Amino acid sequence: DSGVTQTPKHLITATGQRVTLRCSPRSGDLSVYWYQQSLDQGLQFLIQYYNGEERAKGNILERFSAQQFPDLHSELNLSSLELGDSALYFCASSVPGQGDNEQFFGPGTRLTVL
Amino acid sequence: GQNIDQPTEMTATEGAIVQINCTYQTSGFNGLFWYQQHAGEAPTFLSYNVLDGLEEKGRFSSFLSRSKGYSYLLLKELQMKDSASYLCAVRSDYKLSFGAGTTVTVRA
């Protein structure tokens, strides 16, 4: 158990819908990262937040957005869902002051778009 | 952008040694990471290299040559539980880019 929690564990929805994935980092970790892992694309970095502020952006679609709240939990919002958005979505957090060298991954949310 | 290459699959015998190579092309290199991922589970951190040389951590060692854009992960005394996917990742600025992963199968 990494200490990072993600809800829900599984999510099944239809094309065109909107969903919200939630992540709680380890106690004391200020950085939260979101990743998407699909069979054909591998693990792709989406976005990073540090203490409530966006720090880095990767291959995140405009239909996707994220935020980090004052209590440091984060949410990833996916809208106008397409079949290709079906994937495992991981959240990770890292220890502040150590260059973010080790990221601790949550168990992931498996999203299925039908 | 990043270009990270690693072999797709490797097979080895229990108790043996396996070396997984990773080559990369990147701008603004700021560290190379290895993660282990069992099927259906989250990746777990194995190692981090930012300077050239070998980092040893128990049965696992990782090597980096920045001038060659090359790293390897060495797994010694293989155990059945080491059967997993091993992901090479390169950090540039704050972004971590992952290779497609090498699936290692350990046979008895």
Side-chain angles (χ1 to χ4, degrees):
Chain A
D1 184 356
S2 68
V4 178
T5 60
Q6 289 186 249
T7 57
K9 191 167 183 175
H10 299 278
L11 197 49
I12 301 174
T13 188
T15 54
Q17 295 299 305
R18 172 189 167 94
V19 297
T20 297
L21 311 184
R22 183 188 168 103
C23 167
S24 292
R26 298 184 325 150
S27 177
D29 286 359
L30 299 180
S31 283
V32 168
Y33 310 78
W34 285 99
Y35 294 89
Q36 178 194 58
Q37 187 172 40
S38 58
L39 284 174
D40 57 342
Q41 294 278 344
L43 196 57
Q44 300 281 322
F45 168 71
L46 296 178
I47 197 164
Q48 179 200 356
Y49 280 84
Y50 179 82
N51 203 20
E53 298 290 325
E54 182 184 304
R55 173 174 269 190
K57 209 173 218 182
N59 302 321
I60 187 166
L61 300 171
E62 286 192 11
R63 300 183 286 110
F64 296 0
S65 65
Q67 55 183 328
Q68 185 180 28
F69 295 86
D71 67 352
L72 300 178
H73 91 271
S74 178
E75 292 180 357
L76 179 67
N77 300 294
L78 316 176
S79 61
S80 303
L81 284 168
E82 302 175 359
L83 295 178
D85 297 328
S86 295
L88 254 177
Y89 291 84
F90 287 108
C91 165
S93 71
S94 61
V95 181
Q98 294 188 14
D100 299 329
N101 290 338
E102 180 173 354
Q103 294 184 19
F104 297 86
F105 282 74
T109 293
R110 182 172 293 281
L111 173 67
T112 302
V113 182
L114 301 175
Chain B
Q2 321 291 341
N3 188 20
I4 301 168
D5 290 314
Q6 51 181 129
T8 306
E9 294 179 338
M10 300 183 76
T11 301
T13 306
E14 197 174 13
I17 299 173
V18 69
Q19 177 174 315
I20 306 169
N21 295 324
C22 172
T23 58
Y24 64 89
Q25 294 175 316
T26 184
S27 55
F29 176 86
N30 191 23
L32 188 137
F33 301 76
W34 286 94
Y35 279 81
Q36 180 192 60
Q37 186 176 26
H38 287 97
E41 297 182 9
T44 54
F45 172 84
L46 290 178
S47 69
Y48 163 70
N49 295 69
V50 68
L51 300 176
D52 290 353
L54 188 68
E55 294 283 340
E56 295 187 84
K57 206 176 188 181
R59 295 188 298 115
F60 294 176
S61 304
S62 57
F63 171 83
L64 174 67
S65 169
R66 288 172 298 169
S67 63
K68 295 182 180 176
Y70 167 71
S71 172
Y72 68 72
L73 178 69
L74 196 68
L75 314 180
K76 303 174 195 172
E77 300 169 18
L78 279 171
Q79 301 175 9
M80 300 300 288
K81 67 178 181 179
D82 297 329
S83 291
S85 180
Y86 292 84
L87 308 174
C88 173
V90 173
R91 184 170 62 193
S92 174
D93 295 324
Y94 295 107
K95 303 175 188 179
L96 202 58
S97 298
F98 285 83
T102 299
T103 300
V104 171
T105 302
V106 180
R107 293 186 174 164

